[in-house]
DNA sequence: AGTAGATATTAACAGTGTTAAATATATTAT
DNA sequence: ATAATATATTTAACACTGTTAATATCTACT
């Protein structure tokens, strides 16, 4: 059955070529210039061919999204692992989240800012074992550890989502409105984290 | 010269009709379905006519953006004015920001989430006397008042931008990823505000 | 009535995502 | 080797998008 295997391998190869091309265009020319025809041009196939490997453009974006989430998960989990205290582990992970977004804006946009919600269900992105799932669990657990140590009664999930909202806000605004008169970037980020995490060090009420 | 006046009036009228049509389509069918041809259809003119009144689509979006900012400014400044303490004034203004975003998602998207930064300069949106300018000043001053009362040494602008990032994050994520398993919305918002503002009540270091 | 100037339209360009139908290619069976 | 079958790929089109050069129409004034 090696012929079938080879065919599957070739099919998988072209599939990967399409994703590679899409990723390349995305990172080189930005989100706006990523088109099916351009991907086709790059892989030297007709645009229609792509539709035999992916349902539609959003399907491709979904895969790039999953891929980007894997990268994000790696950089965040790596950043946290070297720290000693639970608090610093959380803090440097959060910092890594922001740094990922600022250093890879197009990947970040694909994950969190693209209009894919109508096509790609959150459920499929968050499915068991996925990078997004692991990322959520990682963050939630770090929050839980910090809350436990400070004997807080706050709900870990709520705090996790709150922190997420905060850091997404920073990244999204800095990326999306780069010409706003922002204060010095480092100061904005660090002050933000200080304020955001200050409430975690003492007992909460809900 | 009343003929010239009438002509100017008519010109201005059609200009308004275009904006009205654009706004209507935006709010009824969403951001994705707002096209020049659709606006033209609605006002019963050819698509080209629009280009005699606006430079391009982004120009129209810019005007809708300014308009939306005016609405946002109104609802936020109204919300804060009724409160007594500086802290509550800030808090309810922030809450109004979030509520505006959640109740008028398409308007919010136009202001803060649309890809207009390449076409519409932040400078033109923030120009002296504009709603955006007034909104920034309003928020910044409220933050300043709170920081002054708590004898904080934190930089008001930095804190303002931090708070903005936080609340934008909440709105952007809730709007953009509605199918994520969020905790109860009210709880998320209120806990977030509590945590975010907790750091303002005591002395800072930067 | 004829003309200058403003205003609006037609028709096209270059692009987008997507799909039905036709074709080319490769594999299998005779 | 040839015919039949599956698979893979492309052509050509549809229905859109924003935008613009050239053209037509309408209006006001001489």
């Amino acid at each position: 059955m090696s012929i079938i295997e080879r065919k599957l391998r070739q099919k998988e190869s072209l599939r990967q070529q399409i994703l590679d091309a899409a990723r390349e265009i995305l990172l080189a020319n930005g989100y706006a210039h990523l088109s099916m025809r351009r991907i086709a041009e790059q892989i030297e196939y007709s645009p229609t061919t792509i539709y035999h490997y992916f349902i539609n453009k959003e399907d491709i974006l979904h895969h790039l999204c999953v891929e980007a989430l894997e990268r994000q998960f790696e950089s965040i989990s790596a950043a946290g692992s070297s720290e000693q205290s639970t608090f610093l582990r959380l803090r440097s992970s959060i910092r890594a989240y922001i740094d990922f977004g600022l250093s890879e804006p197009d990947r970040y946009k694909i994950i969190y800012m693209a209009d894919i919600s109508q096509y790609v269900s959150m459920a499929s992105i968050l499915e068991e074992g996925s990078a997004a799932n692991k990322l959520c669990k990682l963050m939630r657990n770090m929050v839980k550890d910090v809350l436990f140590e400070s004997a807080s009664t706050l709900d870990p999930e709520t705090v996790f989502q709150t922190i997420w909202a905060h850091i997404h806000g920073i990244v999204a605004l800095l990326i999306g409105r780069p010409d706003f008169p922002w204060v010095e970037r480092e100061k904005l980020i660090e002050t933000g984290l200080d304020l955001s995490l200050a409430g975690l060090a003492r007992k909460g009420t809900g």
Side-chain angles (χ1 to χ4, degrees), chain A residues 122-153:
Chain A
M122 207 77 246
S124 73
I125 287 178
L126 286 170
E127 69 186 356
E128 194 61 37
S130 70
N133 190 300
K134 286 192 280 184
L135 186 56
C136 283
K137 279 182 180 154
L138 179 71
M139 299 289 280
R140 188 168 22 237
N141 281 333
M142 285 189 292
V143 169
K144 196 185 271 178
D145 291 345
V146 170
L147 290 178
F148 178 78
E149 280 195 6
S150 63
S152 171
T153 57

Side-chain angles (χ1 to χ4, degrees), chain A residues 27-191:
Chain A
L27 298 179
N29 308 94
Y31 186 66
H33 293 92
L34 179 58
S35 77
M36 298 299 264
R37 283 179 164 85
R38 187 134 183 201
I39 295 169
E41 202 181 320
Q42 186 131 327
I43 61 171
E44 295 179 297
Y45 277 82
S46 77
T48 318
T49 300
I50 301 173
Y51 289 88
H52 293 112
Y53 293 82
F54 295 92
I55 301 161
N56 52 28
K57 189 183 179 181
E58 298 301 331
D59 191 20
I60 294 174
L61 290 180
H62 170 70
H63 280 84
L64 292 183
C65 176
V66 168
E67 211 179 73
L69 271 163
E70 277 158 14
R71 279 184 78 100
Q72 195 192 21
F73 172 72
E74 277 166 35
S75 61
I76 289 174
S77 61
S81 62
S82 62
E83 297 290 344
Q84 292 293 334
S85 76
T86 57
F87 182 81
L88 286 179
R89 223 170 4 253
L90 175 63
R91 200 186 199 285
S92 65
S93 296
I94 288 172
R95 180 66 215 225
Y97 179 104
I98 295 171
D99 290 339
F100 174 85
L102 296 179
S103 64
E104 309 226 42
D106 285 301
R107 280 207 169 89
Y108 191 85
K109 281 179 192 167
I110 278 272
I111 306 176
Y112 299 106
M113 294 166 80
D115 256 346
I116 57 172
S117 48
Q118 286 145 336
Y119 305 87
V120 180
S121 76
M122 207 77 246
S124 73
I125 287 178
L126 286 170
E127 69 186 356
E128 194 61 37
S130 70
N133 190 300
K134 286 192 280 184
L135 186 56
C136 283
K137 279 182 180 154
L138 179 71
M139 299 289 280
R140 188 168 22 237
N141 281 333
M142 285 189 292
V143 169
K144 196 185 271 178
D145 291 345
V146 170
L147 290 178
F148 178 78
E149 280 195 6
S150 63
S152 171
T153 57
L154 286 168
D155 172 37
E157 181 65 26
T158 306
V159 173
F160 154 57
Q161 291 183 12
T162 294
I163 290 173
W164 180 23
H166 178 125
I167 57 185
H168 169 69
I170 292 177
V171 175
L173 285 179
L174 285 176
I175 284 177
R177 296 288 177 265
D179 50 347
F180 184 85
W182 299 108
V183 297
E184 199 265 311
R185 184 169 280 201
E186 201 58 30
K187 189 180 180 183
L188 177 65
I189 294 170
E190 289 297 319
T191 306

